[in-house]
């Protein structure tokens, strides 16, 4: 019984088949056909994803369960089953992935000139693996998709990348592969110890079956993979190189979706299945997150390559995410997921902006720009919007995520929240500094004077991102309400079992299942107001 | 019994050492023959006279003689080969010594304990005639092994031939069948040239 | 399984030997006989042999016996697999201008392999081994006139192989000296009976260890792996294709027979030794391959690492472990065969990285298929190599040997680098010369490569689950009953 999730996952492979079989008399016609085919397929996938989203049952109990589930036996001697399904969290990521791929294809429409067939094929294969990973509910199936994204990414950076692309792509591949292999060992141990490879079952039952010491080992095993993927400091060194050398669309998808896989992994594995270990090692994650947020913000400030600035800002934003995830309160985790979604859109858009500039001037060096606002007003507005979204301006999606994370973290660890807030300020510093150096100021370069503003195609790719960023910023409940039941489900080991609560929570107001994000002092305000 | 065994084994080892370390190739082959003789003596000692004599007839009489012929024709310069191995001599001696010491240590620690001698005894019929005993088992219980050995010999033959046989072109060979099949019509033609002109 | 002729499985080596003798006579007396004609005729012979062996499946794994030979499920399956790969090899090389003895030699090698996998006594195993080795020594050297390097390869293989065989014989003589029997059945009975008496087993372990030396040589394992890079580099490509696939499968099956049979009581010690050797092989194969500039030597080191995996799986004497080792080696052999078949299209000699640079422009199909094989060897998901590695990991982790798994993981990552390098050179780089890579036209290598790549790619759907389940069931029947795998805890609520 093939469900819609499988269709959505494997449809891009049909597109690849079509690309492989397509032929034409002239090279140019062939490239056009291939691009149109790829776009068409990815738009169908997007449509299917929207369909799934609209039919996702958000009522009551069903909202926290996995829906559209497909489950049949595949490789019984390996304990491998074909198990796919989405809950609220996975659904949002699937939508994000499905949205970004057509945008990437349109963004590369004019800029990829050689080996277009393989390029489009690589993106479609990437789409298959991305969506498959978010839908996978079996341990090894998850691993297969998690790992599989490396091949198309390797090709994309290695063939169509910049000057040092070989170094960057090898680093990306090997670093991530090392982490993944360690995770594989952990997955096998998990399977052998618990006897099941089904993620939903493990999410419910694994804490009871795993001893704390085993949980500790598994936690570090998974940490190896996810920490490299997110990336967390000090495992982040592959990211700047990969982003700088990747083609525009490659950076978009890398920042937009691939980084989120690490966070998703934490959500699916470390948090629900290994609660004792999570509680024990959460402070490690806090420390690394704070370092990430502050340290990379400072590094971003001194960069001259625009892409590197955004790359380091990605690490900083993901530092927020990890801090929020491991705060283990509902608002923090919700905020972390929202931040992931928002960052997916925002940094994708920022890389697209850089791509716009790079397409025109063929350089990413900040010194070559200056005063672009005067020749590209529309672009300036768009760029500003996304810069501010990255900074966390209220009204944009960036704000919601960061705010929730701050609240959720403050409840349990005020000092961490303070550190994160400092990072917020630093983020504003380098972002606005970037904007000022590139866009504003006097126009000293001749090449800048000749720049043309956004074309129709470029406006087209920014439009959905602008709409979504603003919509999520102004009306976040739509997304948050979908996320909440699943987040509660993920955090249930911490809520329902008081003995799992670590003893160093200092604030007496810690509410592991706060119904809505409120400051602890607001109750007193209300009381005072009423008196 | 032990004395006789030690006597023959010692000379067998001596011969083996001589094969490896002789300076002259012919000396090496002669040492090999010497070793074979001692091995045959050991075999006769344990009651397998047929195998012992077969060893002498086949190995010494055929194989070693063949070696000798080849060696005498080839004029191998053993010293040149020696000098190639000389830098590694220390390692060779070291590993060989380790190996020997390990086995000797095992021998000292636990002499081999014959657990299943009875199984072997059942195969030898009571008559005690070597050739008959061999024949009784070789073509029945061990027949597949026998066939396999035969196939290996065939393989060795084919291998040796295919590696070394060179089809030389321009070698004149007689093909009797072809010669006998000659017909007058193919070879003799009658022509009637006008006088003063040649045949061609 | 199919069987059209009602032939007993015990006849499979007999049929092969008979047809081999027929081919010898045919080759000697028919002047127009060539490699191609003998190979073509051999295809039919092989089909009959496969049919005879396949009957075993229809008979549901009863056991046929000849003196010193046993024909059960394992030998039938191995026979079918070996003959199948031989069929592929003949199809691959049909058009080559080889001397007709080459066909005879590989058939002799196959006969030796069939004897090895069906052997029920150490002597028969040794016969099979020697037959196979001897045939291979000559086969490698056969092209010596055209490619002098081939003679060097054959000599190295021969000398080291003879040494390994000698040590093996020494081990067998120790075993015989102690127990007085060479048959697997009686030997196993005696060893089980005396398992508690440790002084007796000291000699047995020594003998078993020495016998294992022969296997380690054949399977290219550290520290007897030295021949592999040199031989792989110097021999002609089709020869390497043969060498890297069939003998490895046969040796693994023979080793499984030994470990699951007479050596089973020795497994705790032998298992440790195998794990150490496996870990060393995997690490060495990965590290040493990093510096290679020659593709052949790279593949040799990759082989060493892959065999390390196999032996690691064999070291856990459970049906799961041995079954996964068997599937792993079969998948590896198919991958290797396909890979060298494709390399035949580029050159008959060794290739450096420069020689294959930009292969994707000359022949995209070849380049991408080669990438498929390399990624499968590296263990990337969705290719067969990943699933076989996964099953190996699972069986070893079930035995809780974490250190060797860690070594395996490390080796996988390091080895990935050079696999990726080859892919990068083929697909990313521009050709080294202006005309690009020149493709030779070896008739069947492309279809064969495609077939092998198809096998590797859809393994996870079609042959994979069935093969793995079958191998594990077969090993469960073969291993002594005391090895039930540890019961696994299940969750106390129902699954959806």
């Amino acid at each position: 019984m093939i469900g819609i999730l499988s269709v959505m996952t494997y449809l891009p492979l049909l597109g690849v088949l079509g690309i492989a079989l397509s032929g034409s008399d002239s090279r140019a016609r062939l490239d056009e056909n291939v691009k149109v085919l790829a776009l068409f397929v990815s738009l169908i996938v997007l449509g299917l994803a929207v369909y799934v989203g609209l039919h996702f049952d958000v009522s009551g109990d069903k909202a926290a369960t996995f829906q559209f589930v497909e489950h049949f036996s595949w490789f019984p001697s390996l304990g491998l089953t074909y198990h796919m399904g989405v809950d609220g969290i996975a659904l949002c990521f699937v939508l994000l992935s499905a949205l970004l791929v057509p945008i990437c294809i349109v963004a590369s429409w004019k800029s990829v000139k050689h080996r277009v067939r393989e390029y489009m094929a690589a993106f479609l294969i990437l789409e298959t693996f991305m969506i498959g990973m978010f839908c996978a509910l079996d341990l090894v199936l998850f691993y297969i998709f998690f790992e599989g994204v490396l091949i198309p990414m390797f090709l994309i950076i290695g063939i169509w990348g910049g000057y040092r692309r070989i170094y960057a792509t090898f680093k990306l591949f090997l670093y991530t592969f090392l982490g993944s292999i360690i995770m594989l060992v952990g997955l096998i141990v998990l399977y052998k110890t618990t006897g099941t490879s089904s993620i939903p079952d493990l999410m419910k039952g694994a804490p009871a079956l795993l001893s704390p010491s085993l949980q500790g080992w598994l936690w570090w095993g998974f940490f190896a993979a996810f920490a490299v993927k997110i990336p967390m400091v000090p495992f982040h060194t592959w990211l700047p190189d990969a982003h700088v050398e990747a083609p525009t669309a490659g950076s978009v998808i890398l920042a937009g979706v691939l980084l989120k896989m690490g966070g998703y992994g934490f959500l699916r594995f470390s948090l629900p299945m290994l609660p004792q270990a999570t509680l024990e090692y959460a402070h490690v994650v806090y420390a690394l997150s704070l370092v990430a947020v502050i340290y990379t913000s400072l590094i971003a400030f001194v960069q001259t390559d625009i892409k590197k600035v955004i790359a380091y800002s990605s690490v900083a934003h993901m530092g927020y995410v990890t801090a929020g995830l491991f705060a283990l309160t509902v608002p923090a985790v919700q905020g972390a997921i929202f931040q992931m979604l928002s960052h997916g859109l925002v940094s994708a858009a920022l890389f697209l902006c850089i791509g716009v500039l790079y397409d025109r001037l063929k350089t990413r060096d900040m010194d070559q720009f200056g005063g672009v606002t005067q020749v590209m007003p529309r672009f300036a507005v768009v760029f500003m919007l996304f810069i501010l979204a990255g900074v966390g301006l209220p009204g944009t999606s960036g704000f919601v995520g960061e705010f929730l994370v701050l609240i959720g973290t403050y409840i349990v660890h005020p000092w961490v929240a303070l550190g994160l807030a400092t990072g917020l300020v630093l983020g504003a510093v380098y972002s606005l500094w970037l904007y000022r150096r590139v866009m504003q100021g006097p126009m000293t370069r001749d090449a800048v004077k000749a720049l043309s503003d956004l074309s129709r195609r470029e406006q087209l790719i920014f439009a959905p991102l602008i709409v979504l960023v603003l919509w999520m910023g102004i009306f976040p409940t739509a997304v948050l309400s979908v996320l909440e039941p699943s987040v509660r489900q993920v955090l249930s080991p911490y809520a329902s079992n008081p003995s799992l609560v670590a003893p160093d929570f200092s604030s007496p107001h810690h509410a592991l299942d706060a119904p809505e994000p409120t400051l602890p002092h607001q109750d007193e305000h209300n009381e005072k107001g009423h008196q | 019994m032990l004395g006789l065994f030690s006597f023959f084994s010692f000379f067998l080892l001596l011969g083996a050492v001589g094969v490896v370390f002789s300076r002259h190739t012919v000396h090496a082959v002669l040492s090999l023959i010497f070793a074979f003789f001692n091995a045959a003596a050991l075999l006769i000692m344990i009651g397998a006279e047929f195998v012992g004599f077969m060893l002498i007839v086949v190995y010494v009489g055929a194989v070693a003689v063949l070696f000798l012929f080849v060696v005498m024709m080839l004029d191998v310069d053993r010293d040149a080969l020696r000098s190639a191995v000389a830098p590694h001599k220390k390692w060779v001696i070291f590993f060989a010594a380790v190996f020997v010491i390990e086995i000797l240590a095992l021998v000292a620690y636990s002499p081999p304990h014959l657990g299943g001698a009875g199984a072997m005894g059942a195969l030898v019929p009571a008559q005690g005639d070597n050739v008959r005993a061999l024949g009784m088992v070789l073509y029945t219980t061990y027949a597949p092994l026998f066939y396999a050995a035969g196939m290996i010999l065939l393989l060795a033959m084919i291998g040796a031939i295919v590696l070394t046989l060179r089809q030389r072109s321009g070698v004149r060979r007689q093909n009797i069948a072809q010669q006998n099949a000659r017909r007058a019509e193919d070879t003799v033609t009658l022509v009637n040239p006008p006088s003063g002109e040649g045949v061609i | 399984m199919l069987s059209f002729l009602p032939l007993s499985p015990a006849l499979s080596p007999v049929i092969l030997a008979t047809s081999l003798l027929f081919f010898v006579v045919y080759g000697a007396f028919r002047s127009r006989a060539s490699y191609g004609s003998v190979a073509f005729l051999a295809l039919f012979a092989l089909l009959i042999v496969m049919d005879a062996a396949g009957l075993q499946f229809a008979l549901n794994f009863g056991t046929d016996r000849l003196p010193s030979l046993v024909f059960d499920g394992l030998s039938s399956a191995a026979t079918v697999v070996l003959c199948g790969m031989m069929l592929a090899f003949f199809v691959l090389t049909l058009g080559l201008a080889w001397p007709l003895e080459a066909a005879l030699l590989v058939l002799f090698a196959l006969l030796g392999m069939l004897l090895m996998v069906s052997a029920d006594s150490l002597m028969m195993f040794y016969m099979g081994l020697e037959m196979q080795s001897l045939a291979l020594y000559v086969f490698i050297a056969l092209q010596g006139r055209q490619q002098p390097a081939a003679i060097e390869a054959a000599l190295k293989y021969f000398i080291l192989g003879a040494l390994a065989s000698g040590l093996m014989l020494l081990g067998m003589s120790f075993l015989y000296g102690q127990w007085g029997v060479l048959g697997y059945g009686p030997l196993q009975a005696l060893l089980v009976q005396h398992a508690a008496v440790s002084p007796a087993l000291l000699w047995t372990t020594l003998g078993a260890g020495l016998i294992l030396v022969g296997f380690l040589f054949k399977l290219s394992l550290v520290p007897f792996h030295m021949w592999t890079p040199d031989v792989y580099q110097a021999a002609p490509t089709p020869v390497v294709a043969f060498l890297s696939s069939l003998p490895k499968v046969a040796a693994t099956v023979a080793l499984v027979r030994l470990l699951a049979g007479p050596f089973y009581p020795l497994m705790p010690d032998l298992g440790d030794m195998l794990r150490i050797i496996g870990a060393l092989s995997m690490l060495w194969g990965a590290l040493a391959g990093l510096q290679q500039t020659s593709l052949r030597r790279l593949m040799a080191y990759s082989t060493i690492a892959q065999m390390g995996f196999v032996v690691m799986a064999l070291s856990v004497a459970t049906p799961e472990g041995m079954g996964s080792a068997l599937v792993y080696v079969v998948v590896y052999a198919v991958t290797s065969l396909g890979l060298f078949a494709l390399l035949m299209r580029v050159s008959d000699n060794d290739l450096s990285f420069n020689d294959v640079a930009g292969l994707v422009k000359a022949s995209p199909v070849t380049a991408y298929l080669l990438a498929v094989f390399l990624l499968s060897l590296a263990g990337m998901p969705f290719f067969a190599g990943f699933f076989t590695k996964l099953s190996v990991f699972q069986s070893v982790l079930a035995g809780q040997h974490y250190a060797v798994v860690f070594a395996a993981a490390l080796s996988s990552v390091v080895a990935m680098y050079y696999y990726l390098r080859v892919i990068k050179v083929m697909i990313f780089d521009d050709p080294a010369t202006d005309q690009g890579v020149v493709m030779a036209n070896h008739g069947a290598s492309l279809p064969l490569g495609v077939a092998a790549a198809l096998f590797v790619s859809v393994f996870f759907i079609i042959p994979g689950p069935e093969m793995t389940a079958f191998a594990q069931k077969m090993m469960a029947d073969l291993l002594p009953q005391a090895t039930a795998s540890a019961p696994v805890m299940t969750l106390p609520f129902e699954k959806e």
Side-chain angles (χ1 to χ4, degrees), chain C residues 117-470:
Chain C
V117 305
S118 318
D120 201 26
S121 91
L122 285 172
M123 183 52 70
M124 179 53 91
F125 160 73
Y126 187 75
M127 285 287 170
L129 180 69
E130 282 305 295
M131 197 187 297
Q132 174 207 350
S133 306
L134 203 54
L136 284 178
Y137 301 152
V138 181
F139 180 57
I140 297 176
L142 211 51
Q143 298 299 308
R145 303 265 163 69
Q146 291 88 350
Q147 290 172 277
I151 302 194
E152 175 199 345
L155 261 180
K156 282 192 180 140
Y157 192 37
F158 166 59
I159 293 179
L160 292 172
L163 179 63
S165 292
L167 287 172
M168 210 165 187
L169 265 182
L170 186 64
M172 285 187 204
S173 63
F174 284 150
L175 275 178
Y176 183 73
Q178 176 146 41
W179 302 109
V181 285
L182 284 175
Y184 286 176
L187 201 55
Q188 181 173 7
L190 279 170
L191 280 173
V192 166
Q193 195 182 343
H194 291 103
V197 183
S198 53
L201 282 194
L202 218 61
W203 276 96
T204 311
T205 316
L206 175 64
L210 284 172
I211 293 178
L212 232 48
V213 163
F215 279 108
L216 296 178
F217 169 81
K218 265 274 173 280
L219 288 176
S220 311
L221 290 165
V222 165
F224 305 102
H225 64 284
M226 316 282 192
W227 61 276
T228 320
D230 294 327
V231 173
Y232 273 41
Q233 185 175 25
T237 316
V239 172
V240 183
F242 185 84
L243 202 54
S244 64
S245 51
L246 277 85
K248 301 274 192 293
V249 173
T252 309
V253 174
L255 185 58
V256 163
R257 262 208 199 287
L258 264 180
L259 291 177
F263 290 170
Y264 187 74
L266 304 170
M267 267 321 270
D269 294 322
L270 283 184
D272 285 334
M273 179 178 133
L274 286 174
R275 271 188 290 279
I276 295 177
I277 288 178
L280 286 175
S281 303
M282 288 187 284
L283 289 172
W284 179 245
L287 290 170
L290 287 178
Q291 302 192 9
Q292 300 302 325
T293 49
S294 143
L295 272 187
R296 295 277 193 84
R297 290 185 83 90
L298 196 87
M299 287 313 302
Y301 283 111
S302 131
T303 302
I304 295 175
Q306 303 285 327
M307 287 300 127
F309 260 93
V310 172
V311 107
M312 176 174 80
L314 285 176
S315 70
V316 283
T318 60
E320 210 187 348
M322 297 201 159
S324 63
L326 288 171
V327 178
Y328 191 97
V329 80
V330 170
V331 167
Y332 158 75
V334 173
T335 312
S336 187
L337 201 56
L339 197 139
F340 283 108
L342 284 176
L343 282 180
M344 266 171 71
R345 293 193 81 209
V346 182
S347 165
D348 244 6
N349 298 319
D350 189 12
L351 293 162
S352 73
F353 279 124
N354 273 340
D355 296 329
V356 289
L359 184 62
V360 69
K361 297 212 167 47
S363 169
V365 178
T366 311
Y368 285 122
L369 288 180
L370 278 171
V372 164
F373 290 131
L374 288 166
L375 288 173
S376 171
L377 284 176
M380 274 311 276
F382 267 126
F383 296 120
F386 168 71
F387 293 97
T388 54
K389 279 203 162 95
L390 180 66
S391 69
V392 166
F393 274 148
Q394 281 195 346
S395 53
V396 179
L397 281 171
Q400 298 181 332
H401 306 290
Y402 296 114
V404 67
V405 169
F406 178 68
L410 203 60
S411 126
S412 296
V413 177
V414 175
M416 175 64 85
Y417 172 70
Y418 57 71
Y419 290 124
L420 283 180
R421 250 184 90 193
V422 181
I423 297 181
K424 166 233 173 207
V425 165
M426 280 193 310
I427 299 189
F428 296 1
D429 285 354
D430 292 321
T433 61
D434 279 335
Q435 55 180 156
V437 181
V438 177
M439 310 290 301
N441 186 14
H442 273 130
S445 33
L446 194 58
L448 205 74
V450 169
L454 217 61
F455 173 81
V456 160
S457 310
V458 299
F459 179 82
F460 66 98
I461 304 181
I462 298 289
E466 290 79 13
M467 270 175 79
T468 319
F470 170 72

Side-chain angles (χ1 to χ4, degrees), chain A residues 295-324:
Chain A
Y295 172 67
T296 52
S297 301
L298 292 174
I299 293 186
F301 185 62
V302 296
Q303 298 300 319
T304 51
D305 183 329
I306 308 179
K307 243 183 172 179
K308 266 211 168 118
V309 175
I310 308 296
Y312 280 112
S313 85
S314 283
V315 183
H317 284 278
M318 295 312 284
Y320 258 89
V321 168
T322 48

Side-chain angles (χ1 to χ4, degrees), chain B residues 103-183:
Chain B
I103 298 203
L104 287 179
L106 268 168
V107 172
Y109 178 62
S110 68
H113 144 81
L114 287 175
M120 199 171 56
L123 290 174
V124 179
Q127 286 92 325
D129 183 349
N130 233 296
V131 182
R132 178 174 301 228
L134 213 55
M136 290 292 278
V137 291
L138 195 59
Y139 297 97
T140 55
T141 321
Y142 298 122
L145 287 167
F146 184 70
Y147 294 143
M151 295 296 277
I152 295 181
L153 284 174
L154 176 63
L155 166 66
M157 203 158 55
I158 295 179
I161 294 175
V162 80
L163 279 179
T164 52
L165 180 63
R166 215 163 301 196
Q167 302 280 9
R168 262 176 261 262
S169 59
V171 170
R172 295 176 190 281
R173 272 202 200 95
Q174 281 191 334
N175 188 339
I176 309 291
Q178 199 178 32
Q179 287 174 340
N180 283 340
R182 255 165 75 125
R183 296 180 303 166

Side-chain angles (χ1 to χ4, degrees), chain B residues 4-84:
Chain B
L4 215 52
F5 173 80
S6 315
F7 179 75
F8 285 123
S9 323
F10 173 72
F11 282 113
L12 176 60
L13 284 172
L14 205 63
V17 167
V19 174
V20 177
F21 289 111
S22 297
R23 299 204 59 182
H24 196 119
T25 338
V26 177
H27 293 174
V29 180
L30 292 176
S31 306
L32 188 63
I33 295 175
F34 181 58
F36 283 150
F37 270 107
N38 285 290
L42 282 174
L43 282 167
I44 294 173
M45 259 178 58
I46 65 171
E49 307 94 22
F50 182 68
V51 184
F53 284 125
M54 273 296 109
L55 195 76
I56 295 180
V57 169
V58 174
Y59 259 115
V60 176
V63 176
V65 168
L66 198 60
F67 275 13
L68 245 145
F69 272 120
V70 173
V71 155
M72 284 192 289
M73 276 195 275
L74 276 185
D75 188 22
V76 177
D77 183 2
R78 274 211 130 193
D79 281 334
L81 294 175
R82 284 288 218 55
S83 58

